[in-house]
Amino acid sequence: MIFAGERPVVVVPVMDTTVQSVVESAQAAVAAGADVIEWRIDYLVALHPKDSFSLVGAEILAELLTAVDVPLLLTIRTSEQGGQLRVKTARYGLLVAEIFDTLRQNQADPERIGIDFEFWFPEVEYLVARANEAGYTAVVSHHDWEETPDSEILQLLFAEILELPGAVAKVAVTAQHEDDVDRLFAVTEQVVAETGRSVIALAMGEIGVRSRLVGHLHGSVATFAAGKTASAPGQLSVAEMREEL
């Protein structure tokens, strides 16, 4: 479980696309206080839309596994969810399958591997089961870049994700008002109390910054901070995050 230990776990995304730049950014983030490195693989694949991950990403992942000793969260964020990659269902599934194969070939320690699966994917249940079998942390994510849904919809979203055995539910919303953040906190507390499961709850944007700082007090197991650049609006730098925490 990559989110074990002190709360909140500080995750720092790395969006670089070459071996040297990914390694250097990851090492700098760890030195600044990152607990987990999220490698945003969609940035790399978007530059090579017709190539397999095995061709363009295997060497980077192998180097990253040895360059840092903190856990890794491997993420393919699609454009519909705020990422760089426009991809059809079959392509998304193939890329994830290649990540599994690359991890196996590198004999990666499962205790330090997490994989982000987007909730929209029709075969997300299969991917979570495969991650569970391998011993990886399965994060199932949903991002709302327009608003914070009402509390009932938030509860339903968490419940649907947590129907997947072993999944860590990540729900990121866009806060338009301070009340949005308060509602997210209230729902998160209720979900954690009722299920005992691990969840990540974040409100994006300037109004949502406090969700990144005190969300762990309401049950969220992780927060995200920026390394060289932010991957979502409202992220503090990892140095700022550490100082505030």
Side-chain angles (χ1 to χ4, degrees), residues 51-221:
D51 293 329
S52 68
F53 175 79
S54 301
L55 178 63
V56 299
E59 181 184 0
I60 298 177
L61 181 53
E63 292 291 333
L64 188 57
L65 284 165
T66 59
V68 298
D69 58 4
V70 301
L72 305 178
L73 176 61
L74 307 176
T75 299
I76 300 172
R77 183 70 65 232
T78 64
S79 57
E80 289 80 2
Q81 286 285 292
Q84 300 297 304
L85 191 61
R86 292 188 178 276
V87 64
K88 294 182 178 180
T89 300
R91 172 72 164 151
Y92 181 87
L94 180 59
L95 288 168
V96 173
E98 290 170 342
I99 290 172
F100 275 116
D101 290 343
T102 303
L103 288 168
R104 186 179 66 253
Q105 291 167 10
N106 284 276
Q107 299 181 327
D109 177 4
E111 287 295 319
R112 59 184 295 237
I113 298 298
I115 307 178
D116 181 292
F117 306 117
E118 294 185 345
F119 187 47
W120 66 266
F121 184 63
E123 296 182 27
V124 67
E125 183 176 3
Y126 165 75
L127 296 181
V128 171
R130 187 172 175 187
N132 289 339
E133 183 179 0
Y136 306 145
T137 299
V139 177
V140 177
S141 64
H142 175 77
H143 296 70
D144 190 322
W145 290 84
E146 296 183 359
E147 61 179 2
T148 301
D150 63 37
S151 297
E152 290 75 14
I153 293 177
L154 283 173
Q155 289 170 344
L156 180 61
L157 180 57
F158 274 116
E160 289 181 345
I161 295 176
L162 293 175
E163 286 180 0
L164 302 170
V168 176
K170 179 190 176 187
V171 174
V173 297
T174 300
Q176 306 286 359
H177 309 281
E178 292 290 346
D179 287 349
D180 291 338
V181 182
D182 293 332
R183 288 191 301 102
L184 180 64
F185 285 162
V187 170
T188 303
E189 289 179 358
Q190 180 178 351
V191 169
V192 172
E194 291 178 351
T195 67
R197 298 278 294 280
S198 295
V199 305
I200 301 170
L202 295 167
M204 298 181 287
E206 290 304 313
I207 295 174
V209 168
R210 65 187 175 100
S211 74
R212 301 181 182 277
L213 293 171
V214 300
H216 62 289
L217 301 178
H218 302 275
S220 183
V221 299

